[in-house]
Amino acid sequence: MLHLDLSNVSQFLPEGWRVREENGLKKAHEYLMEGTGAGSDYIGWVNLPENYDKKEFARIQKAAAKIRSDSKALVVIGIGGSYLGARAVIETVTSNNYNLVRGDNPAIYFAGNGLSADGLSEVIELVKDVDFSVNVISKSGTTTEPAVAFRIFKALLEERYGKEGARERIYATTDAKRGALKGLADKEGYEEFVVPDDVGGRYSVLTAVGLLPIAVAGIDIDALMTGAREEMERLHKPGMDNPAWQYAAARHALYDSGKKIEILAGYEPSFRFFGEWWKQLFGESEGKENKGLYPASVEFTADLHSMGQYIQQGERLMVETVVRFDKNHTKISIPDDPENVDGLNFLSGKQLSFVAEQALRGVTLAHVDGGVPNILVSVDARDEKSLGELIYFFEYSCGVSGYLLGVNPFDQPGVEAYKNNMYALLGKPGYEKQKAELEKRLGC
Ligand code: PA5
Protein backbone atom coordinates (compact mmCIF):
# COMPACT_ATOMS: atom_id res chain seq x y z
CA MET A 1 0.00 0.00 0.00
CA LEU A 2 1.20 3.53 -0.78
CA HIS A 3 2.58 5.40 2.20
CA LEU A 4 3.36 9.12 2.48
CA ASP A 5 5.96 10.46 4.92
CA LEU A 6 6.03 14.20 5.57
CA SER A 7 8.28 14.08 8.61
CA ASN A 8 10.90 16.16 6.78
CA VAL A 9 8.55 18.92 5.71
CA SER A 10 7.09 20.60 8.79
CA GLN A 11 10.36 22.20 9.94
CA PHE A 12 10.29 24.29 6.74
CA LEU A 13 6.80 25.63 7.27
CA PRO A 14 5.15 28.00 9.72
CA GLU A 15 3.14 26.36 12.47
CA GLY A 16 -0.43 25.50 11.57
CA TRP A 17 0.25 25.05 7.86
CA ARG A 18 -1.97 21.98 7.56
CA VAL A 19 -4.97 23.74 9.11
CA ARG A 20 -4.54 26.68 6.74
CA GLU A 21 -4.78 24.36 3.72
CA GLU A 22 -7.85 22.47 4.90
CA ASN A 23 -10.59 24.67 3.42
CA GLY A 24 -8.86 24.77 0.05
CA LEU A 25 -8.50 20.99 0.10
CA LYS A 26 -12.17 20.48 0.91
CA LYS A 27 -13.14 22.71 -2.00
CA ALA A 28 -10.69 21.03 -4.40
CA HIS A 29 -11.97 17.58 -3.38
CA GLU A 30 -15.55 18.72 -3.97
CA TYR A 31 -14.62 20.11 -7.41
CA LEU A 32 -13.23 16.71 -8.39
CA MET A 33 -15.99 14.61 -6.83
CA GLU A 34 -18.87 16.73 -8.05
CA GLY A 35 -17.44 18.11 -11.26
CA THR A 36 -18.02 21.72 -10.26
CA GLY A 37 -14.51 23.14 -10.78
CA ALA A 38 -12.75 24.66 -13.79
CA GLY A 39 -12.08 22.13 -16.55
CA SER A 40 -14.65 19.69 -15.19
CA ASP A 41 -15.29 18.39 -18.71
CA TYR A 42 -11.98 16.54 -18.28
CA ILE A 43 -12.40 14.68 -15.02
CA GLY A 44 -13.36 11.32 -16.52
CA TRP A 45 -10.16 9.91 -14.99
CA VAL A 46 -11.46 10.46 -11.43
CA ASN A 47 -13.63 7.30 -11.45
CA LEU A 48 -11.90 5.58 -14.35
CA PRO A 49 -10.29 2.72 -12.36
CA GLU A 50 -13.80 1.53 -11.59
CA ASN A 51 -15.88 2.87 -14.48
CA TYR A 52 -13.63 1.91 -17.37
CA ASP A 53 -15.19 0.28 -20.40
CA LYS A 54 -14.88 -3.45 -19.63
CA LYS A 55 -15.72 -4.49 -23.19
CA GLU A 56 -12.98 -2.32 -24.59
CA PHE A 57 -10.62 -3.62 -21.93
CA ALA A 58 -11.26 -7.17 -23.18
CA ARG A 59 -10.65 -5.99 -26.76
CA ILE A 60 -7.36 -4.45 -25.66
CA GLN A 61 -6.27 -7.78 -24.20
CA LYS A 62 -7.32 -9.58 -27.38
CA ALA A 63 -5.50 -7.12 -29.62
CA ALA A 64 -2.40 -7.35 -27.42
CA ALA A 65 -2.47 -11.15 -27.71
CA LYS A 66 -2.72 -10.88 -31.50
CA ILE A 67 0.17 -8.41 -31.70
CA ARG A 68 2.23 -10.67 -29.42
CA SER A 69 1.54 -13.61 -31.73
CA ASP A 70 2.14 -11.96 -35.11
CA SER A 71 4.72 -9.23 -34.38
CA LYS A 72 8.25 -9.11 -33.09
CA ALA A 73 7.91 -5.35 -32.60
CA LEU A 74 5.25 -2.75 -31.91
CA VAL A 75 5.82 0.84 -33.01
CA VAL A 76 3.90 3.16 -30.67
CA ILE A 77 3.31 6.52 -32.36
CA GLY A 78 2.25 9.38 -30.10
CA ILE A 79 3.55 12.40 -28.22
CA GLY A 80 3.08 13.82 -24.70
CA GLY A 81 0.19 12.19 -22.92
CA SER A 82 -0.21 9.84 -25.87
CA TYR A 83 3.01 7.94 -25.07
CA LEU A 84 4.64 8.93 -21.77
CA GLY A 85 2.35 6.85 -19.55
CA ALA A 86 2.87 3.65 -21.54
CA ARG A 87 6.62 4.11 -21.60
CA ALA A 88 6.69 4.94 -17.87
CA VAL A 89 4.81 1.78 -16.88
CA ILE A 90 6.61 -0.55 -19.30
CA GLU A 91 10.06 0.58 -18.19
CA THR A 92 9.35 0.91 -14.47
CA VAL A 93 7.82 -2.56 -14.19
CA THR A 94 10.40 -4.25 -16.42
CA SER A 95 13.59 -2.33 -17.19
CA ASN A 96 14.88 0.84 -18.82
CA ASN A 97 16.54 -1.71 -21.14
CA TYR A 98 13.19 -3.38 -21.91
CA ASN A 99 14.06 -3.99 -25.55
CA LEU A 100 17.28 -5.77 -24.56
CA VAL A 101 15.83 -7.98 -21.83
CA ARG A 102 12.31 -8.53 -23.16
CA GLY A 103 12.65 -12.31 -23.80
CA ASP A 104 9.72 -13.47 -25.96
CA ASN A 105 7.82 -10.19 -25.63
CA PRO A 106 7.72 -7.93 -28.70
CA ALA A 107 10.14 -5.01 -28.82
CA ILE A 108 8.38 -1.69 -28.22
CA TYR A 109 9.69 1.31 -30.15
CA PHE A 110 8.34 4.81 -29.56
CA ALA A 111 8.08 7.13 -32.56
CA GLY A 112 6.32 10.38 -33.43
CA ASN A 113 7.38 12.05 -30.17
CA GLY A 114 9.71 14.51 -31.88
CA LEU A 115 10.80 15.70 -35.30
CA SER A 116 14.26 14.17 -35.47
CA ALA A 117 14.89 12.51 -38.83
CA ASP A 118 17.72 10.53 -37.24
CA GLY A 119 15.45 9.28 -34.46
CA LEU A 120 12.76 8.19 -36.91
CA SER A 121 15.15 6.50 -39.34
CA GLU A 122 16.57 4.52 -36.43
CA VAL A 123 13.15 3.01 -35.69
CA ILE A 124 12.60 2.32 -39.40
CA GLU A 125 15.94 0.48 -39.42
CA LEU A 126 15.04 -1.49 -36.28
CA VAL A 127 11.84 -2.92 -37.82
CA LYS A 128 13.36 -3.46 -41.27
CA ASP A 129 13.73 -7.23 -40.88
CA VAL A 130 11.02 -8.11 -38.38
CA ASP A 131 7.27 -8.45 -38.46
CA PHE A 132 5.79 -5.43 -36.76
CA SER A 133 2.53 -3.66 -35.94
CA VAL A 134 1.74 -0.01 -35.30
CA ASN A 135 -0.35 1.60 -32.57
CA VAL A 136 -0.99 5.20 -33.58
CA ILE A 137 -2.29 7.25 -30.66
CA SER A 138 -3.63 10.77 -31.05
CA LYS A 139 -6.75 12.19 -29.49
CA SER A 140 -6.92 15.13 -31.88
CA GLY A 141 -5.44 13.27 -34.83
CA THR A 142 -3.83 16.47 -36.03
CA THR A 143 -0.66 16.66 -33.92
CA THR A 144 2.17 17.13 -36.40
CA GLU A 145 4.80 14.84 -34.87
CA PRO A 146 2.73 11.62 -34.68
CA ALA A 147 0.83 12.40 -37.90
CA VAL A 148 4.09 12.67 -39.89
CA ALA A 149 5.50 9.48 -38.30
CA PHE A 150 2.27 7.60 -39.00
CA ARG A 151 2.35 8.51 -42.69
CA ILE A 152 5.78 6.95 -42.88
CA PHE A 153 5.02 3.73 -40.96
CA LYS A 154 1.67 3.28 -42.71
CA ALA A 155 3.47 3.42 -46.06
CA LEU A 156 6.10 0.96 -44.78
CA LEU A 157 3.44 -1.50 -43.62
CA GLU A 158 1.50 -1.21 -46.88
CA GLU A 159 4.65 -1.75 -48.90
CA ARG A 160 5.53 -4.85 -46.91
CA TYR A 161 2.14 -6.48 -46.26
CA GLY A 162 -0.13 -4.88 -48.89
CA LYS A 163 -3.09 -2.65 -48.03
CA GLU A 164 -5.12 -5.50 -46.56
CA GLY A 165 -2.24 -6.89 -44.51
CA ALA A 166 -1.35 -3.42 -43.22
CA ARG A 167 -4.94 -2.90 -42.11
CA GLU A 168 -4.57 -5.97 -39.87
CA ARG A 169 -1.47 -4.47 -38.23
CA ILE A 170 -2.58 -0.91 -37.54
CA TYR A 171 -4.34 -0.08 -34.28
CA ALA A 172 -5.67 3.46 -33.91
CA THR A 173 -6.32 4.95 -30.46
CA THR A 174 -8.23 8.20 -30.89
CA ASP A 175 -11.38 10.17 -30.22
CA ALA A 176 -14.63 8.17 -30.32
CA LYS A 177 -16.39 10.47 -32.75
CA ARG A 178 -14.26 13.11 -34.41
CA GLY A 179 -10.83 14.06 -35.68
CA ALA A 180 -8.55 13.31 -38.61
CA LEU A 181 -7.30 9.97 -37.25
CA LYS A 182 -10.83 8.83 -36.46
CA GLY A 183 -11.86 9.60 -40.04
CA LEU A 184 -8.86 7.76 -41.48
CA ALA A 185 -9.32 4.74 -39.18
CA ASP A 186 -13.01 4.46 -40.15
CA LYS A 187 -12.18 4.75 -43.84
CA GLU A 188 -9.33 2.22 -43.74
CA GLY A 189 -11.02 -0.18 -41.31
CA TYR A 190 -8.32 -0.19 -38.61
CA GLU A 191 -9.13 -1.64 -35.21
CA GLU A 192 -9.98 1.39 -33.07
CA PHE A 193 -9.64 2.18 -29.37
CA VAL A 194 -11.02 5.21 -27.63
CA VAL A 195 -9.47 8.14 -25.81
CA PRO A 196 -12.54 9.10 -23.76
CA ASP A 197 -13.85 12.62 -24.37
CA ASP A 198 -13.53 13.51 -20.71
CA VAL A 199 -9.93 12.33 -20.22
CA GLY A 200 -7.05 14.59 -21.27
CA GLY A 201 -3.80 13.20 -22.67
CA ARG A 202 -1.76 13.44 -19.47
CA TYR A 203 -4.46 11.61 -17.49
CA SER A 204 -4.95 8.88 -20.11
CA VAL A 205 -2.47 6.16 -19.14
CA LEU A 206 -5.22 3.94 -17.70
CA THR A 207 -7.26 4.12 -20.92
CA ALA A 208 -6.43 2.31 -24.18
CA VAL A 209 -3.76 5.00 -24.73
CA GLY A 210 -1.51 3.35 -22.18
CA LEU A 211 -3.10 -0.05 -21.75
CA LEU A 212 -2.61 -1.47 -25.25
CA PRO A 213 1.18 -0.95 -25.47
CA ILE A 214 1.54 -1.96 -21.81
CA ALA A 215 -0.34 -5.22 -22.41
CA VAL A 216 1.72 -5.93 -25.54
CA ALA A 217 4.82 -5.77 -23.31
CA GLY A 218 3.39 -8.67 -21.29
CA ILE A 219 2.45 -6.53 -18.30
CA ASP A 220 -0.64 -7.46 -16.25
CA ILE A 221 -3.09 -4.62 -16.91
CA ASP A 222 -5.68 -6.16 -14.57
CA ALA A 223 -3.27 -5.77 -11.67
CA LEU A 224 -2.46 -2.21 -12.79
CA MET A 225 -6.16 -1.30 -12.68
CA THR A 226 -6.59 -3.06 -9.32
CA GLY A 227 -3.82 -0.94 -7.80
CA ALA A 228 -5.37 2.23 -9.23
CA ARG A 229 -8.84 1.26 -8.02
CA GLU A 230 -7.68 0.54 -4.48
CA GLU A 231 -5.86 3.88 -4.36
CA MET A 232 -8.91 5.63 -5.79
CA GLU A 233 -11.13 4.17 -3.04
CA ARG A 234 -8.68 5.43 -0.42
CA LEU A 235 -8.28 8.92 -1.89
CA HIS A 236 -11.97 9.52 -2.46
CA LYS A 237 -12.43 9.68 1.31
CA PRO A 238 -12.13 13.31 2.35
CA GLY A 239 -10.04 14.35 5.36
CA MET A 240 -6.62 15.47 6.42
CA ASP A 241 -5.44 11.87 6.73
CA ASN A 242 -5.96 11.40 2.98
CA PRO A 243 -2.38 11.09 1.63
CA ALA A 244 -3.18 13.03 -1.55
CA TRP A 245 -4.60 15.90 0.52
CA GLN A 246 -1.45 15.85 2.63
CA TYR A 247 0.86 15.82 -0.39
CA ALA A 248 -1.07 18.60 -2.14
CA ALA A 249 -1.16 20.64 1.09
CA ALA A 250 2.59 20.28 1.62
CA ARG A 251 3.42 21.23 -1.98
CA HIS A 252 1.12 24.23 -1.84
CA ALA A 253 2.37 25.48 1.54
CA LEU A 254 5.99 25.05 0.41
CA TYR A 255 5.27 26.92 -2.83
CA ASP A 256 3.70 29.76 -0.85
CA SER A 257 6.76 29.81 1.40
CA GLY A 258 9.02 30.46 -1.62
CA LYS A 259 9.90 27.05 -3.05
CA LYS A 260 9.67 27.09 -6.83
CA ILE A 261 10.90 23.67 -8.00
CA GLU A 262 9.80 20.15 -7.16
CA ILE A 263 12.27 17.41 -7.96
CA LEU A 264 10.99 13.85 -8.27
CA ALA A 265 13.76 11.47 -7.28
CA GLY A 266 13.92 7.72 -7.78
CA TYR A 267 16.62 5.22 -6.98
CA GLU A 268 15.85 2.80 -9.83
CA PRO A 269 17.10 3.41 -13.39
CA SER A 270 13.86 1.90 -14.67
CA PHE A 271 11.95 4.74 -12.97
CA ARG A 272 13.30 7.45 -15.26
CA PHE A 273 10.31 7.59 -17.60
CA PHE A 274 7.89 7.64 -14.70
CA GLY A 275 9.61 10.95 -13.90
CA GLU A 276 8.95 12.11 -17.48
CA TRP A 277 5.27 11.18 -17.16
CA TRP A 278 5.06 12.93 -13.78
CA LYS A 279 6.68 16.09 -15.17
CA GLN A 280 4.08 16.33 -17.92
CA LEU A 281 1.25 15.68 -15.46
CA PHE A 282 2.26 18.46 -13.08
CA GLY A 283 3.89 20.78 -15.63
CA GLU A 284 0.86 20.98 -17.93
CA SER A 285 -1.62 20.98 -15.08
CA GLU A 286 -0.10 23.67 -12.86
CA GLY A 287 2.29 25.71 -14.99
CA LYS A 288 0.04 28.57 -16.10
CA GLU A 289 -0.90 32.14 -15.17
CA ASN A 290 2.78 32.62 -14.15
CA LYS A 291 2.32 30.10 -11.34
CA GLY A 292 3.28 26.58 -10.31
CA LEU A 293 6.18 24.54 -8.97
CA TYR A 294 8.53 23.67 -11.86
CA PRO A 295 8.65 19.86 -12.02
CA ALA A 296 12.08 18.32 -12.49
CA SER A 297 13.35 14.78 -12.03
CA VAL A 298 16.58 13.03 -11.07
CA GLU A 299 17.87 9.49 -10.89
CA PHE A 300 19.79 8.67 -7.74
CA THR A 301 22.41 7.79 -6.95
CA ALA A 302 23.72 8.61 -10.45
CA ASP A 303 22.63 12.25 -10.39
CA LEU A 304 24.05 12.81 -6.90
CA HIS A 305 27.33 13.04 -8.80
CA SER A 306 26.00 15.81 -11.03
CA MET A 307 22.84 17.58 -9.86
CA GLY A 308 23.55 16.55 -6.26
CA GLN A 309 25.86 19.55 -5.90
CA TYR A 310 23.13 21.99 -6.89
CA ILE A 311 20.51 20.30 -4.74
CA GLN A 312 22.82 20.47 -1.73
CA GLN A 313 24.12 24.01 -2.13
CA GLY A 314 22.54 25.89 -5.05
CA GLU A 315 19.60 28.31 -4.87
CA ARG A 316 17.26 27.19 -2.09
CA LEU A 317 14.23 26.84 -4.35
CA MET A 318 13.66 23.11 -4.23
CA VAL A 319 11.36 20.55 -2.69
CA GLU A 320 12.37 16.93 -3.16
CA THR A 321 9.81 14.14 -3.56
CA VAL A 322 11.35 10.69 -3.38
CA VAL A 323 9.61 7.55 -4.61
CA ARG A 324 10.79 4.38 -2.90
CA PHE A 325 9.99 0.76 -3.75
CA ASP A 326 10.10 -1.16 -0.48
CA LYS A 327 10.80 -4.65 -1.85
CA ASN A 328 13.75 -5.44 -4.04
CA HIS A 329 13.50 -7.67 -7.07
CA THR A 330 17.12 -8.76 -7.04
CA LYS A 331 19.57 -9.84 -4.37
CA ILE A 332 23.24 -9.05 -4.92
CA SER A 333 25.69 -9.63 -2.13
CA ILE A 334 28.96 -7.69 -2.06
CA PRO A 335 31.95 -10.06 -2.28
CA ASP A 336 34.89 -10.06 0.14
CA ASP A 337 38.28 -9.06 -1.27
CA PRO A 338 41.26 -10.41 0.71
CA GLU A 339 43.43 -7.52 -0.50
CA ASN A 340 40.80 -4.88 0.34
CA VAL A 341 42.50 -2.35 -1.94
CA ASP A 342 39.35 -0.20 -2.12
CA GLY A 343 38.86 -0.41 1.66
CA LEU A 344 35.32 -1.73 1.21
CA ASN A 345 35.60 -4.96 3.19
CA PHE A 346 33.36 -3.41 5.85
CA LEU A 347 30.61 -4.07 3.29
CA SER A 348 31.57 -7.70 2.54
CA GLY A 349 28.54 -9.97 2.60
CA LYS A 350 26.10 -7.04 2.74
CA GLN A 351 23.26 -6.82 0.23
CA LEU A 352 23.46 -4.03 -2.37
CA SER A 353 19.87 -3.15 -1.42
CA PHE A 354 21.10 -2.47 2.15
CA VAL A 355 23.73 -0.07 0.79
CA ALA A 356 21.08 1.63 -1.37
CA GLU A 357 18.76 2.04 1.63
CA GLN A 358 21.54 3.68 3.66
CA ALA A 359 22.22 5.96 0.67
CA LEU A 360 18.56 7.01 0.58
CA ARG A 361 18.54 7.71 4.32
CA GLY A 362 21.83 9.59 4.20
CA VAL A 363 20.88 11.64 1.14
CA THR A 364 17.54 12.60 2.71
CA LEU A 365 19.20 13.92 5.85
CA ALA A 366 21.93 15.73 3.89
CA HIS A 367 19.39 17.45 1.65
CA VAL A 368 17.14 18.36 4.59
CA ASP A 369 20.18 19.79 6.38
CA GLY A 370 20.92 21.73 3.19
CA GLY A 371 17.46 23.32 3.28
CA VAL A 372 15.53 21.03 0.92
CA PRO A 373 12.20 19.76 2.31
CA ASN A 374 11.76 16.06 1.64
CA ILE A 375 8.55 14.20 0.86
CA LEU A 376 8.76 10.40 0.78
CA VAL A 377 6.26 8.30 -1.17
CA SER A 378 6.72 4.55 -0.65
CA VAL A 379 5.02 1.67 -2.42
CA ASP A 380 5.54 -2.07 -2.01
CA ALA A 381 7.34 -3.09 -5.16
CA ARG A 382 8.21 -2.25 -8.73
CA ASP A 383 5.14 -4.13 -9.95
CA GLU A 384 1.84 -3.50 -11.69
CA LYS A 385 -0.27 -3.03 -8.57
CA SER A 386 2.08 -0.50 -6.98
CA LEU A 387 2.36 1.38 -10.27
CA GLY A 388 -1.45 1.60 -10.42
CA GLU A 389 -1.40 3.07 -6.91
CA LEU A 390 1.33 5.58 -7.79
CA ILE A 391 -0.39 6.69 -10.99
CA TYR A 392 -3.70 7.34 -9.31
CA PHE A 393 -2.05 8.97 -6.30
CA PHE A 394 -0.19 11.48 -8.47
CA GLU A 395 -3.16 12.09 -10.80
CA TYR A 396 -5.50 12.79 -7.93
CA SER A 397 -2.93 14.89 -6.04
CA CYS A 398 -2.33 16.87 -9.21
CA GLY A 399 -6.02 17.67 -9.67
CA VAL A 400 -6.28 18.80 -6.04
CA SER A 401 -3.01 20.77 -6.29
CA GLY A 402 -4.13 22.62 -9.41
CA TYR A 403 -7.32 23.74 -7.70
CA LEU A 404 -5.40 24.77 -4.56
CA LEU A 405 -3.19 26.90 -6.78
CA GLY A 406 -6.25 28.49 -8.35
CA VAL A 407 -5.71 27.30 -11.93
CA ASN A 408 -7.63 25.02 -14.26
CA PRO A 409 -5.63 21.77 -13.92
CA PHE A 410 -7.09 20.27 -17.08
CA ASP A 411 -6.25 22.64 -19.91
CA GLN A 412 -2.93 23.41 -21.61
CA PRO A 413 -3.39 26.66 -23.56
CA GLY A 414 0.36 27.33 -23.59
CA VAL A 415 1.07 24.31 -25.80
CA GLU A 416 -0.66 26.00 -28.73
CA ALA A 417 1.87 28.86 -29.05
CA TYR A 418 4.67 26.79 -30.57
CA LYS A 419 2.25 24.82 -32.73
CA ASN A 420 0.81 27.98 -34.29
CA ASN A 421 4.27 29.39 -35.05
CA MET A 422 5.37 26.08 -36.54
CA TYR A 423 2.24 25.80 -38.71
CA ALA A 424 2.75 29.37 -39.92
CA LEU A 425 6.40 28.83 -40.80
CA LEU A 426 5.55 25.57 -42.57
CA GLY A 427 2.99 27.37 -44.72
CA LYS A 428 -0.19 25.73 -43.40
CA PRO A 429 -3.21 27.25 -45.18
CA GLY A 430 -4.90 29.90 -43.02
CA TYR A 431 -1.66 31.03 -41.34
CA GLU A 432 -0.45 33.39 -44.13
CA LYS A 433 -0.51 36.60 -42.08
CA GLN A 434 1.31 35.03 -39.13
CA LYS A 435 3.88 33.52 -41.50
CA ALA A 436 4.73 36.95 -42.93
CA GLU A 437 5.06 38.45 -39.42
CA LEU A 438 7.26 35.64 -38.13
CA GLU A 439 9.50 35.65 -41.18
CA LYS A 440 9.99 39.38 -40.78
CA ARG A 441 11.08 38.85 -37.17
CA LEU A 442 13.39 36.05 -38.24
CA GLY A 443 14.94 38.29 -40.92
CA CYS A 444 13.89 36.04 -43.84
O1 PA5 B 1 -1.70 16.11 -22.24
C1 PA5 B 1 -1.99 16.44 -23.37
O2 PA5 B 1 -3.16 16.72 -23.67
C2 PA5 B 1 -0.95 16.51 -24.46
O3 PA5 B 1 0.29 16.11 -24.02
C3 PA5 B 1 -1.34 15.62 -25.60
O4 PA5 B 1 -1.45 14.32 -25.12
C4 PA5 B 1 -0.34 15.70 -26.73
O5 PA5 B 1 -0.21 17.03 -27.16
C5 PA5 B 1 -0.76 14.83 -27.88
O6 PA5 B 1 -2.02 15.20 -28.35
P1 PA5 B 1 -2.84 14.24 -29.29
O7 PA5 B 1 -3.12 12.99 -28.54
O8 PA5 B 1 -4.08 15.01 -29.63
O9 PA5 B 1 -1.99 13.98 -30.52
Side-chain angles (χ1 to χ4, degrees), residues 79-82 137-141 143 146 201-202 280 284 412 419:
I79 193 165
S82 291
I137 308 169
S138 179
K139 185 169 184 172
S140 63
T143 310
R202 58 188 175 276
Q280 188 203 1
E284 275 191 341
Q412 55 284 328
K419 284 190 194 167

Side-chain angles (χ1 to χ4, degrees), residues 120-358:
L120 199 63
S121 71
E122 195 175 288
V123 181
I124 294 170
E125 188 62 25
L126 285 164
V127 296
K128 177 168 85 162
D129 298 321
V130 296
D131 283 321
F132 73 100
S133 296
V134 165
N135 181 198
V136 54
I137 308 169
S138 179
K139 185 169 184 172
S140 63
T142 51
T143 310
T144 310
E145 292 90 336
V148 167
F150 182 54
R151 277 193 178 203
I152 291 165
F153 282 98
K154 176 175 178 284
L156 273 181
L157 281 173
E158 289 179 351
E159 196 181 297
R160 186 161 336 155
Y161 299 102
K163 203 142 174 73
E164 193 54 43
R167 189 193 326 276
E168 299 292 313
R169 288 176 175 274
I170 295 174
Y171 301 82
T173 306
T174 189
D175 193 275
K177 299 189 202 83
R178 61 190 87 81
L181 181 56
K182 169 69 184 159
L184 180 68
D186 283 353
K187 179 170 149 282
E188 300 281 349
Y190 303 147
E191 173 143 26
E192 292 177 38
F193 296 97
V194 172
V195 191
D197 259 355
D198 54 0
V199 180
R202 58 188 175 276
Y203 285 87
S204 68
V205 54
L206 299 177
T207 71
V209 171
L211 295 178
L212 180 58
I214 291 169
V216 171
I219 291 169
D220 181 352
I221 56 173
D222 270 311
L224 187 72
M225 295 307 274
T226 300
R229 190 174 57 251
E230 286 180 7
E231 193 60 21
M232 179 193 86
E233 283 160 6
R234 214 152 73 97
L235 301 187
H236 282 199
K237 295 188 188 112
M240 287 309 283
D241 54 352
N242 178 320
W245 282 37
Q246 291 182 23
Y247 176 52
R251 296 177 79 253
H252 187 240
L254 288 163
Y255 177 68
D256 273 354
S257 77
K259 300 299 181 192
K260 296 291 172 236
I261 298 168
E262 182 179 10
I263 305 173
L264 189 79
Y267 281 74
E268 295 292 337
S270 65
F271 190 67
R272 181 173 153 229
F273 257 85
F274 193 94
E276 299 302 318
W277 172 83
W278 177 90
K279 284 192 284 193
Q280 188 203 1
L281 181 67
F282 280 90
E284 275 191 341
S285 300
E286 289 194 310
K288 49 198 75 159
E289 299 175 29
N290 302 327
K291 294 196 263 193
L293 282 163
Y294 178 86
S297 62
V298 287
E299 181 194 320
F300 289 162
T301 60
D303 291 339
L304 289 170
H305 298 260
S306 54
M307 295 308 291
Q309 171 58 37
Y310 192 101
I311 297 170
Q312 194 68 45
Q313 293 183 329
E315 286 259 19
R316 302 297 73 196
L317 298 172
M318 284 103 45
V319 178
E320 193 169 64
T321 297
V322 176
V323 174
R324 181 176 71 187
F325 298 98
D326 289 338
K327 281 185 210 133
N328 267 281
H329 284 216
T330 315
K331 299 224 173 304
I332 292 185
S333 152
I334 298 170
D336 191 55
D337 178 355
E339 292 178 24
N340 196 24
V341 182
D342 52 15
L344 285 181
N345 270 357
F346 70 100
L347 293 177
S348 298
K350 296 260 185 336
Q351 291 292 315
L352 195 53
S353 55
F354 168 79
V355 180
E357 184 59 20
Q358 304 325 306

